[in-house]
Structure formats: structure tokens, C-alpha cells
Amino acid sequence: MTDPSRKSHWETVYTTKGENEVSWFQENPSPSLELIDLAGPTPASAIVDIGGGASRLVDGLVARGFKRVTVLDISEAALDAAKARLGERASQVEWIVADVTKWHPAQAFDIWHDRAAFHFLTDAADRSAYVARMKQAVKPGGHVIIGTFALDGPEKCSGLPVNRYDAASLAGELGEGLELVDSRRHDHSTPWNSAQRFQFCIFRRTA
Ligand SMILES: C[S@@+](CC[C@H](N)C(=O)[O-])C[C@H]1O[C@@H](n2cnc3c(N)ncnc32)[C@H](O)[C@@H]1O
């Protein structure tokens, strides 16, 4: 997918569909919050949600008292929806409109979280650009949490093809310097009650 069509795809999604009209809508992002807890963060931990879209994860992080939360997404409309929902609390969050494969992180993070963005990178060059940025951005000893469709999950999302992973293939894709801490499968129930099999992994950055 070319860069302009990637961005316009996601802007169209978020300007034409309501929060619970997309398959990935999750009332309570508990699988992500459980893995963030596993990383042992403090209120001062810097946490970035990559491809965070309009997800409610940011609401949960702000409610838990995290002071350095960043949400990055290619779609400005997605972030606008999240900001509108948060109201005054939106000012406690840093919002970045960027394609993660082109982004130049200006700060280091303790936790990198991504639910259902990495799996859209079906092009090897995009995946290696993503991994390079992640390794640049995450502190040694920091954690990387990635949720993707599992090997028996859907082959497409939002009409786009995805790559599916288990813990071993995701670890292989991320390469050296990341140690697998935990992995778990999660059955996401879409707003229309179909099941989507996800694979969540948490890695520790060792170097
Ligand atoms: C399936 S949605 C998941 C959204 C959110 N993580 C959640 O759990 O609700 C995928 C998100 O990734 C974003 N995205 C896709 N490709 C991206 C890229 N290259 N850089 C940044 N964000 C991207 C989309 O705009 C969309 O918000």
C-alpha cells in the first residue's frame, strides 16, 4: 500500500464509522492493561500506544495515573475522536499523527504498546522500518507489547490484508535484543459478536 493511500484509508475509516462500528472496538482493553501491569510500570513510565487510533486504552492509562502517555496514529481523525472522548484529560496526553514506519521518535519510552497495527505491515521494508524505530525508541530494560491476529485469526482487517503471528514468528520478526517475557492468546469479540483470535506478546529490551 502506498503512503497516501494508507493514510487516506484510515482517515476514511475514522470519519465514516462510529467507535463501535469497527471490528476492533473494545470496551475494556484488559488484555493490554494486564500486560502493561506485567511490565511493572511506575506513574513516571513513558508509554506509547502505536496505532492507538480511537482506542480506550489511553483512558485506562490516564485513569491509572500514568503521567507520560503518548498515542501515535496515522489518522488524525482517530486521535480527534479519542481526544473528544477524553475531554479535559486529553491535555495530559501527547498526541502524534504519524506513520510509524516514517516516525522519528524524539524521546525514549519504557513501554511500547501496539494492538493491531503491526500486523498491517505486510511489506518487509515497512516491518524493518517499524522495528528500527521501536529499537531506537524503547529504553534498555523497557518493554514491547504487541497484539496481532494469531495464526488462526482473520486474514484481513478493515478490508486490508494482514500478517498473522504466533510468539515465535513475532519474535523472529523483531530480531535480536528482545527477550520474550510472556505470550497469550485472546479471543476478541467484535461489536457484532464474531470471534477474532489474537496473539499478544510482551518482550523485554535487553540491548
Ligand atoms: C485495527 S486499528 C487498531 C486501533 C487500536 N490500536 C485499537 O486497539 O483500537 C489499527 C490502527 O493502526 C493505525 N495504523 C495503521 N497503519 C499505521 C501506520 N503505518 N502508522 C501509524 N498508525 C497506523 C490505524 O489508523 C488504526 O487506528
Side-chain angles (χ1 to χ4, degrees):
M1 202 174 201
T2 61
D3 296 352
S5 65
R6 180 184 278 164
K7 181 167 171 67
S8 75
H9 173 87
W10 291 108
E11 294 293 10
T12 302
V13 167
Y14 285 107
T15 48
T16 58
K17 289 179 191 277
E19 188 188 30
N20 60 2
E21 292 175 322
V22 293
S23 59
W24 54 92
F25 172 69
Q26 206 180 22
E27 181 104 36
N28 178 2
S30 50
S32 297
L33 288 167
E34 282 167 20
L35 290 178
I36 288 169
D37 282 347
L38 207 62
T42 70
S45 296
I47 304 175
V48 61
D49 189 16
I50 298 293
S55 161
R56 295 185 176 202
L57 179 63
V58 63
D59 309 43
L61 295 174
V62 170
R64 284 170 181 227
F66 291 110
K67 305 283 181 229
R68 297 170 65 206
V69 177
T70 300
V71 182
L72 176 145
D73 202 276
I74 198 167
S75 164
E76 187 159 17
L79 299 187
D80 285 347
K83 285 183 204 172
R85 191 184 60 240
L86 280 166
E88 282 180 5
R89 291 170 301 153
S91 63
Q92 298 172 34
V93 175
E94 181 164 356
W95 305 92
I96 300 175
V97 179
D99 181 330
V100 62
T101 66
K102 309 268 185 311
W103 177 47
H104 296 288
Q107 71 169 105
F109 294 95
D110 299 285
I111 299 178
W112 173 287
H113 171 272
D114 172 336
R115 171 179 180 262
F118 179 73
H119 67 192
F120 288 104
L121 303 180
T122 54
D123 187 278
D126 283 339
R127 290 195 296 279
S128 59
Y130 176 107
V131 170
R133 279 153 180 82
M134 180 263 284
K135 288 183 176 173
Q136 186 190 335
V138 178
K139 298 175 185 173
H143 288 83
V144 175
I145 297 163
I146 300 186
T148 66
F149 283 161
L151 293 181
D152 54 355
E155 292 176 8
K156 285 190 163 193
C157 179
S158 189
L160 301 176
V162 300
N163 280 4
R164 299 175 295 173
Y165 297 93
D166 60 10
S169 57
L170 184 61
E173 204 59 64
L174 302 184
E176 291 182 353
L178 291 158
E179 169 186 272
L180 183 66
V181 175
D182 195 0
S183 70
R184 42 188 80 168
R185 288 165 57 90
H186 170 71
D187 280 352
H188 167 62
S189 179
T190 69
W192 38 96
N193 288 325
S194 62
Q196 293 185 328
R197 300 226 152 99
F198 271 77
Q199 173 74 51
F200 278 84
C201 295
I202 176 168
F203 300 88
R204 199 175 75 86
R205 180 120 169 75
T206 54

